[in-house]
Amino acid sequence: MTREISFAEIKKHNNEKSVWIVIHNDVYDVTSYLGEHPGGEDALLEVAGKDGTQNFEDVGHSEDARNIMKKFKIGTLPPSERTGSSNITNCSNLKWAVLALAGAIVVGIVLKKYLS
Ligand code: HEM
């Protein structure tokens, strides 16, 4: 079960005793994950009680990481506090798809030149 949690409450959980982080408008309680996080506890503490979406995406977390985080979800932001950033993941996937396509086209052109 998840509930709506506002920043007024989230920002109280900003130290190692209790670490709540907002990522893509969802609220995660990662207190028990501090010691297990491959990126270290400091990375999580830095955005404790805040929105860590940007930092989370800058690292380029794997699908694995995104699955693990589901376990820690405790709620979502109220609609009035949400930001429009929940599509960043899709955007970065799209970016890679476009890059892969561009690469394939270049390889195709080079191969065609060599083979003709
Ligand atoms: C519930 C939230 C999070 C989970 C479950 C999580 C999980 C993970 C996992 C599994 C990795 C290993 C690499 C990978 O699989 O991508 C990782 C690496 C890392 N994470 Fe997180 N992470 C979370 C939040 C964050 C946040 C908010 C930050 C930054 C503020 C962060 C910073 C990092 C860094 C710096 C690395 C190391 C990357 C490297 O050394 O290659 N993580 N995280």
Side-chain angles (χ1 to χ4, degrees):
M1 271 297 285
T2 56
R3 61 183 178 105
E4 279 184 8
I5 309 172
S6 73
F7 267 112
E9 191 179 349
I10 295 163
K11 66 184 181 197
K12 293 181 203 156
H13 301 265
N14 62 358
N15 57 69
E16 64 275 8
K17 283 192 202 118
S18 181
V19 182
W20 290 8
I21 297 174
V22 176
I23 298 170
H24 294 306
N25 298 322
D26 290 327
V27 187
Y28 298 89
D29 179 349
V30 292
T31 317
S32 63
Y33 189 60
L34 281 185
E36 287 176 50
H37 182 225
E41 56 176 71
D42 283 350
L44 298 180
L45 286 170
E46 201 182 307
V47 289
K50 295 190 243 174
D51 191 317
T53 308
Q54 193 65 50
N55 306 46
F56 181 82
E57 290 302 339
D58 284 351
V59 172
H61 280 89
S62 63
E63 278 308 310
D64 244 16
R66 287 164 208 272
N67 278 327
I68 296 170
M69 72 195 275
K70 286 181 197 156
K71 283 195 298 195
F72 302 107
K73 183 169 164 181
I74 53 168
T76 55
L77 287 177
S80 60
E81 296 185 22
R82 287 178 202 162
T83 58
S85 62
S86 48
N87 276 330
I88 289 181
T89 330
N90 296 344
C91 280
S92 78
N93 282 345
L94 189 68
K95 188 180 82 187
W96 285 112
V98 170
L99 272 176
L101 189 66
I105 290 172
V106 170
V107 170
I109 292 172
V110 170
L111 274 181
K112 210 174 164 206
K113 281 209 161 180
Y114 266 106
L115 295 177
S116 60

